[in-house]
């Protein structure tokens, strides 16, 4: 799988390099846009028109994402739409916060990217679909959006037997708490004739809710992802806190696109995800609704489904009224008599039974290898997440998920966009174990008077011994002329390393305060922190140099915009702050 993803990424990159792509901008409120974490203060309130270059800069943005993703805007294959912080709702009463009708092309996705992950909110109570990606929309990527509300938070395609769409990427998104108006409503619904949908590094919570009560029995009828169609991938995602009476986080139905020629390899791949809290008391619930993953193969033959490297955590006993799937993380159901329904299960971990097949059902072949469940004495303590009650599913150094994945199926990056593997073998779940070098200032102000020194501290809490990292210096102050340090390349030996900065007054000039920036780079054996990759020390001038000058010394001008995250080649997505 890793090779396949890398080749896909390379092909997308090469196509994108040849395309004449453009970047457009959306902001519905200057106040909200300028208050975003990205640090840009040049947003203006947008207008939905193409006249006068509108949409082409932060100072001339469009007002709505929906306009940007319509045929009226002129956005075309390969283009990126950057969206400012704000809440975007059903502004025109068409029933959607965002309707996507445009299409990219092979290797040239049209991307909607939050300027900062999680700060662009799409929501509106009472909608059928908060986001509707129509059957005419293909090669679309949504990145960094927070999507909630609607009977379906996201609807992709529909059930038309004649219309097809595909190649949709939902990346770095948070999808949660859809309305409870309809039975079978789900946070995300993929239509029968939709193919190649990828969910990557996204979080689902509060999903699967539906109306309480169906006849005499409450029902568990909703899902986080209800997947029809074929060729779908769910990777590096976190599924937690299902809604009351929710069904499984992922429901795979047996429809496909065989007649359209899209069958190749696995129909569905569920790899390196973290599932928490999938079980409920199944008293009188429908039989196939209470597991982390429910698979129905009754609609077609030749299903080939891969479930690998997933962490299924559930502290609740799962009782199930129908035989075969009690206390299981995965339930496989084939009500028909179709042949060659193959389910491959590799290197998963759960504190329950890994899977069950309904008693009396046939035409299902399960291949299982490298898995551990409660029969193998796998328990809740073996997961050892950093802060499970606080929804932090990164791994502590003692987690038994570390270095136990099947590398053949692990994606190249984890939930935070870090490379896999860190160690010799990939980790199970959405997060790769985080050995991270960081740099901070323990004394952020220095002075030429004295001189008074400043200090940086390089730390790597989960490092063992032997990991290395380098530090580069930049800023308005110049090393040697304005300061010296005791820095030398760092090899981790078990404790934080302090780098001392000593100011130098070599020119005798009256200058504004300057700053020296230390940036960590070229780490070997560990990551570099995405939030603390550099630190600044301010250097005050010797005031005696200014004795002959009138007035006060000029003020410093510091660039404090923070680190910029790199763009992933697998589609035109951003992982953190959009440049």
């Amino acid at each position: 799988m890793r090779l396949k993803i890398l080749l896909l990424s390379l092909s997308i990159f090469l196509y994108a390099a040849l395309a004449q792509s453009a970047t457009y901008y959306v902001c519905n409120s200057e106040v909200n846009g300028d208050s975003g974490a990205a640090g840009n203060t040049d947003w203006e309130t947008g207008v939905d028109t193409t006249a006068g270059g509108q949409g082409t800069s932060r100072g001339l943005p469009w007002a709505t994402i929906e306009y940007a993703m319509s045929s009226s805007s002129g956005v075309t294959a390969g283009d990126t739409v950057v969206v400012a912080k704000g809440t975007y709702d059903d502004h025109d009463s068409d029933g959607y916060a965002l309707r996507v009708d445009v299409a990219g092309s092979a290797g040239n996705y049209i991307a909607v990217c939050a300027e900062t992950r999680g700060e662009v909110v799409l929501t509106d109570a009472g909608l059928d679909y908060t986001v509707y990606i129509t059957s005419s929309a293909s090669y679309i990527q949504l990145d960094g959006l927070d999507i909630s509300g609607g009977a379906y938070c996201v609807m992709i395609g529909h059930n038309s037997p004649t219309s097809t769409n595909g190649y949709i990427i939902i990346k770095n998104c948070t999808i949660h708490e859809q309305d409870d108006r309809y039975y079978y409503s789900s946070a995300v619904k993929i239509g029968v004739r939709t193919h190649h949908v990828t969910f990557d590094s996204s979080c689902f919570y509060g999903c699967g809710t539906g109306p309480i009560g169906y006849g005499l029995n409450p029902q568990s009828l909703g899902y986080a992802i209800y997947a029809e169609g074929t060729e779908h991938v769910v990777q590096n995602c976190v599924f937690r806190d299902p809604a009351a009476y929710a069904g499984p986080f992922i429901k795979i139905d047996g429809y496909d696109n065989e007649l359209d020629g899209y069958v190749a390899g696995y129909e569905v791949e569920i790899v390196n995800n973290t599932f928490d809290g999938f079980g409920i008391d199944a008293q009188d619930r429908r039989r196939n609704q209470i597991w982390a993953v429910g698979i129905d193969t009754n609609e077609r033959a030749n299903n080939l489904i891969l479930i690998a490297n997933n962490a299924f955590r559930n502290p609740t006993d799962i009782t199930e009224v129908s035989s075969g799937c009690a206390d299981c993380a995965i339930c496989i159901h084939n009500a028909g008599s179709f042949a060659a329904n193959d389910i491959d299960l590799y290197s998963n971990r759960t504190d329950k039974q890994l899977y069950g097949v309904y008693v009396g059902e046939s035409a299902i072949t399960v291949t299982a290898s490298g898995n551990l469940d409660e029969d193998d004495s796998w328990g809740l303590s073996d997961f050892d997440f950093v802060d499970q009650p606080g929804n932090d599913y990164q791994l502590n150094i003692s987690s038994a998920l570390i270095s136990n994945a099947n590398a053949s199926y692990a994606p190249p990056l984890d939930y935070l966009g870090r490379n896999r593997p860190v160690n010799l073998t990939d980790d199970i779940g959405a997060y790769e174990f985080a050995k991270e070098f960081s740099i901070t200032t323990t004394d952020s102000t220095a002075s030429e008077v004295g001189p008074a020194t400043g200090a940086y501290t390089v730390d790597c809490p989960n490092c063992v011994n032997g990991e290395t990292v380098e530090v580069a210096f930049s800023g308005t102050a110049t090393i040697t002329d304005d300061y010296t340090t005791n820095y030398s390349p760092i090899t981790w030996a078990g404790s934080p390393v302090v780098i001392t900065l000593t100011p130098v007054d070599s020119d005798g000039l009256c200058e504004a305060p300057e700053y020296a920036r230390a940036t960590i780079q070229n780490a070997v054996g560990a990551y570099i922190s995405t939030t603390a990759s550099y630190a600044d020390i301010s250097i005050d001038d010797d005031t005696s140099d200014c004795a002959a000058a009138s007035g006060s010394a000029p003020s410093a001008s510091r660039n404090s915009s923070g680190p910029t995250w790199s763009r992933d080649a697998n589609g035109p997505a951003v992982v953190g702050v959009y440049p």
Side-chain angles (χ1 to χ4, degrees), residues 418-431:
R418 301 176 298 206
N419 290 326
R420 296 180 185 268
V422 172
N423 301 304
L424 294 178
T425 307
D426 301 83
D427 301 339
I428 292 171
Y431 291 92

Side-chain angles (χ1 to χ4, degrees), residues 21-25 55-57 62 75 78-82 567 578-579:
S21 59
T23 300
Y24 297 95
Y25 299 86
T56 58
S57 69
W62 292 315
V75 169
D79 292 344
T80 298
V81 177
V82 179
R567 183 178 296 188
Y578 195 86

Side-chain angles (χ1 to χ4, degrees), residues 183 210-221 245:
Y183 297 112
I212 297 176
Y214 183 74
L216 298 176
N217 298 324
Q219 300 292 299
S220 50
L221 296 177
Y245 304 112

Side-chain angles (χ1 to χ4, degrees), residues 236-237 271-274 309-311 401 420 427-432:
N236 294 326
C237 292
V271 294
N272 281 93
N273 303 285
T274 298
N309 302 336
N310 298 286
L401 299 173
R420 296 180 185 268
D427 301 339
I428 292 171
Y431 291 92
E432 195 74 2

